[in-house]
């Protein structure tokens, strides 16, 4: 029987031009990792930045099934170095799976290591608790609850609307657990603000700006669930845009402003820009027409795939093509029962989408699919997509980018193995380093 070690070493051998760091990182992102109890954090009272659950659960079990990891949170991210594969510094988002063959555990000297199939494969570094997490807002709320940072402190992630108005089986995206994640945190008694007041966001950013003396945080992302009607009497563009306007007025030029929202009409996109947003992420989720209809029924019903793509192209006229960066969820192309049954078919389809956008100067990015157990696709595909798909996607992504004369998109830090901080996929690790 092939072990997971056999699998990753086979892929490293077959795809030597894909960084070995990316092979391991993609496997950790698609399948998760386990933590020895001794490797868990002391939550907000410890020396390690804990996992904030900033929008989705990104776990392979529900909170009640995580055991000690639900009480003493794992770290937000880990950094891997060294080991038998001589790994360069690799930042990985933490996705908990108690059944994973990967485990973070102390070695004989008490240092944390990552093991695979019982063998140490890397040293593990943990994100230090930032000074700004040690301070609370005037109402007692934690900065981590209002304005958590990810990507090793690079990005302030502002999920200002914690639920999605695409609701129920006929509207929710089949891979998305935003609504369940809201429910499970409320059920556990954790603070999890549904709509974050603007004054709280500004106060949290004031604390970050004061104590982030090294200016590690460079960008903020405004995001949350889709708005199909209104929130607080405002439509989607004005709801999210009001936060950008307030941030830019209070902190002009301090951070690059980004927004993740639906593909909206051009006049709404212009309002985003006028409010101060400079990078727009109108995520197209999956390229194939049939799969978009199956997996994104609400988006198909309210906007439609062709209209979604047309709006993405129109938004490039407002922001400039380089600053329109739509995300897709890498791996759902192969999700049963509707997905492609071979890696070749899935890669061909996804590459067609990459070429469609990149040939027009728009550079998509992707998040590696985590099959969360409360989602329809997670329930039917607990193991996610084959690792080979993810490795070949990295190969196809870089090739398509280079053939269209594009470079890494703005707002993600440095590209290159050993330099990248983007933690929820390896696309930045797999691109060439830039001076």
């Amino acid at each position: 029987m092939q072990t997971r070690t056999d699998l990753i070493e086979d892929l490293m051998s077959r795809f030597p031009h894909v960084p070995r760091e990316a092979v391991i990182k993609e496997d950790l992102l698609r399948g998760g990792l386990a933590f020895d109890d001794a490797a868990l954090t002391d939550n907000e009272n410890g020396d390690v930045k804990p996992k904030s659950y900033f929008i989705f659960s990104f776990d392979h079990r529900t909170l009640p099934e995580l055991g000690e990891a639900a009480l003493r949170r794992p770290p937000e991210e880990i950094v891997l170095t060294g080991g038998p594969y001589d790994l360069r510094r690799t930042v990985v988002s933490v996705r908990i799976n108690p059944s994973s063959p990967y485990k973070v555990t102390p070695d004989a000297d008490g240092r944390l290591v990552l093991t695979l199939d019982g063998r140490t494969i890397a040293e593990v570094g943990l994100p230090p608790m930032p000074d700004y997490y040690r301070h609370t807002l005037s109402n007692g709320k934690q900065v981590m609850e209002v304005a958590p940072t990810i990507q090793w402190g690079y990005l302030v992630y502002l999920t200002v609307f914690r639920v999605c108005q695409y609701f129920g089986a006929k509207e929710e995206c089949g891979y998305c657990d935003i609504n369940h994640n809201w429910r499970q945190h409320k059920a556990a008694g954790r603070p999890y603000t549904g709509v974050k007041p603007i004054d709280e966001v500004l106060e949290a950013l004031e604390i970050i700006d004061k104590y982030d003396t090294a200016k590690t945080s460079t960008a903020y992302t405004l995001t949350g669930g889709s708005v199909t009607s209104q929130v607080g009497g405002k439509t989607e563009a004005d709801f999210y845009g009001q936060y950008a306007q307030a941030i830019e007025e209070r902190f002009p030029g301090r951070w690059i402003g980004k927004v993740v929202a639906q593909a909206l009409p051009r006049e709404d996109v212009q309002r985003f820009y006028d409010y101060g947003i400079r990078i727009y992420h109108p995520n197209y989720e999956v390229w194939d027409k049939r799969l978009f209809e199956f997996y994104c029924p609400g988006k198909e019903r309210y906007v439609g795939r062709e209209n979604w793509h047309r709006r993405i192209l129109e938004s490039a006229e407002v922001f400039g093509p380089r600053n329109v960066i739509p995300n897709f969820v890498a791996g759902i192309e192969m999700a049963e029962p509707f997905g492609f049954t071979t890696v070749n078919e899935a890669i061909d389809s996804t590459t067609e989408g990459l070429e469609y956008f990149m040939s027009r100067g728009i550079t998509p990015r992707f998040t590696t699919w985590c099959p969360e157990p409360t989602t329809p696709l997670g329930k039917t595909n607990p193991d996610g997509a084959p690792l080979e798909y993810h490795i070949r996607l990295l190969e196809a992504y870089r090739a398509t980018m280079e053939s269209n004369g594009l470079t890494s998109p703005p707002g993600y830090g440095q590209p290159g193995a050993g330099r990248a901080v983007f933690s929820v996929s390896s696309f930045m690790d797999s691109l060439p380093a830039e001076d």
Side-chain angles (χ1 to χ4, degrees):
M1 180 180 296
Q2 186 185 49
T3 66
R4 191 68 70 86
T5 300
D6 294 333
L7 174 63
I8 66 164
E9 291 186 347
D10 174 63
L11 290 168
M12 287 177 180
S13 175
R14 290 170 54 200
F15 300 95
H17 45 289
V18 173
R20 56 196 176 280
E21 293 84 359
V23 176
I24 292 175
K25 181 171 175 175
E26 288 298 310
D27 205 20
L28 289 167
L29 292 173
R30 76 179 184 113
L33 71 164
F35 275 77
D36 187 281
D37 286 353
L40 295 171
T41 79
D42 293 321
N43 298 327
E44 66 272 15
N45 298 315
D47 295 324
V48 175
K49 181 197 284 189
K51 184 169 177 173
S52 61
Y53 290 90
F54 52 89
I55 185 166
F56 312 116
S57 73
F58 282 133
D59 284 334
H60 292 254
R61 299 287 189 276
T62 63
L63 276 179
E65 296 172 322
L66 291 183
E68 186 69 11
L71 302 175
R72 297 174 52 227
R73 300 189 187 195
E76 186 75 77
E77 295 151 330
I78 58 174
V79 63
L80 305 177
T81 54
Y85 306 115
D86 194 22
L87 300 181
R88 291 162 286 187
R89 184 177 186 274
T90 305
V91 180
V92 187
S93 177
V94 167
R95 301 174 174 186
I96 299 297
N97 181 358
S99 301
S100 173
Y102 292 94
K103 188 171 186 178
V104 176
T105 186
D107 67 8
D109 297 319
R111 296 172 299 189
L112 290 185
V113 296
L114 179 67
T115 65
L116 173 59
D117 298 327
R119 178 181 70 120
T120 296
I121 64 166
E123 298 174 14
V124 173
L126 302 180
M129 179 70 81
D131 288 343
Y132 48 81
Y133 270 20
R134 300 186 187 279
H135 300 267
T136 59
L137 278 63
S138 57
N139 61 8
K141 286 188 178 182
Q142 301 168 353
V143 171
M144 181 178 70
E145 158 61 12
V146 179
T149 55
I150 60 173
Q151 297 173 23
W152 218 257
Y154 177 87
L155 179 68
V156 185
Y157 208 91
L158 301 172
T159 311
V160 294
F161 183 40
R162 277 281 186 39
V163 294
C164 181
Q165 291 185 350
Y166 290 134
F167 197 82
K170 294 183 178 179
E171 291 192 354
E172 288 180 352
C173 295
Y175 48 83
C176 176
D177 80 341
I178 185 173
N179 288 332
H180 172 78
N181 196 39
W182 154 261
R183 291 190 292 267
Q184 73 168 355
H185 281 266
K186 298 303 287 185
R190 292 182 172 185
Y192 211 70
T193 307
V195 178
K196 296 179 180 178
I198 292 176
D199 61 341
E200 291 184 5
V201 171
L202 293 177
E203 187 178 358
L205 291 175
E206 193 82 54
I207 294 170
I208 293 174
D209 186 48
K210 179 178 179 180
Y211 293 99
D212 179 21
T213 56
K215 297 293 187 283
T216 301
S217 60
T218 303
Y220 68 82
T221 290
L222 283 165
T223 189
S226 296
V227 178
T228 58
S229 56
Q230 293 185 342
V231 178
K234 296 181 182 296
T235 59
E236 185 161 321
D238 289 328
F239 172 73
Y240 287 112
Q242 67 182 329
Y243 292 88
Q245 183 179 40
I247 292 168
E248 295 303 325
E249 288 177 355
R250 179 74 67 86
F251 308 98
R254 169 62 178 86
W255 294 280
I256 303 168
K258 307 197 284 185
V259 66
V260 180
Q262 298 190 85
L264 297 174
R266 179 171 175 154
E267 57 268 25
D268 289 343
V269 173
Q270 182 66 54
R271 292 214 298 282
F272 275 147
Y273 190 87
D274 294 342
Y275 280 129
I277 293 296
R278 290 299 173 261
I279 296 176
Y280 180 39
H281 301 289
N283 302 340
Y284 68 89
E285 316 298 14
V286 64
W287 174 253
D288 182 76
K289 182 179 187 299
R290 181 178 61 94
L291 295 182
F292 184 87
E293 293 170 355
F294 278 129
Y295 297 161
C296 306
K299 292 175 179 176
E300 175 63 25
R301 172 185 169 190
Y302 281 88
V303 181
R305 176 180 178 272
E306 285 68 31
N307 199 27
W308 198 285
H309 294 172
R310 179 180 59 79
R311 289 178 176 181
I312 290 176
L313 300 185
E314 288 178 351
S315 70
E317 299 171 8
V318 175
F319 282 91
R322 182 164 169 76
N323 298 315
V324 176
I325 310 170
N327 186 69
F328 63 97
V329 184
I332 60 172
E333 296 90 338
M334 298 197 70
E336 296 180 354
F338 304 116
F340 295 106
T341 57
T342 69
V343 172
N344 284 345
E345 292 174 306
I347 292 295
D348 286 348
S349 174
T350 305
T351 303
E352 180 181 293
L354 292 174
E355 180 63 30
Y356 177 84
F357 289 113
M358 288 184 178
S359 65
R360 294 164 170 82
I362 294 169
T363 308
R365 49 96 168 178
F366 58 90
T367 301
T368 301
W369 175 39
C370 176
E372 288 115 335
T374 60
T375 64
L377 294 184
K379 290 175 181 176
T380 55
N381 301 268
D383 297 325
L387 181 56
E388 181 177 341
Y389 165 82
H390 293 286
I391 304 312
R392 290 181 56 185
L393 174 60
L394 295 172
E395 179 183 55
Y397 183 92
R398 177 168 174 169
T400 308
M401 176 181 284
E402 290 178 344
S403 70
N404 284 285
L406 301 175
T407 56
S408 62
Y412 288 91
Q414 293 189 63
R419 298 186 180 189
V421 295
F422 188 68
S423 59
V424 294
S425 84
S426 302
F427 89 93
M428 288 293 286
D429 305 74
S430 302
L431 295 178
E434 298 172 2
D435 294 330

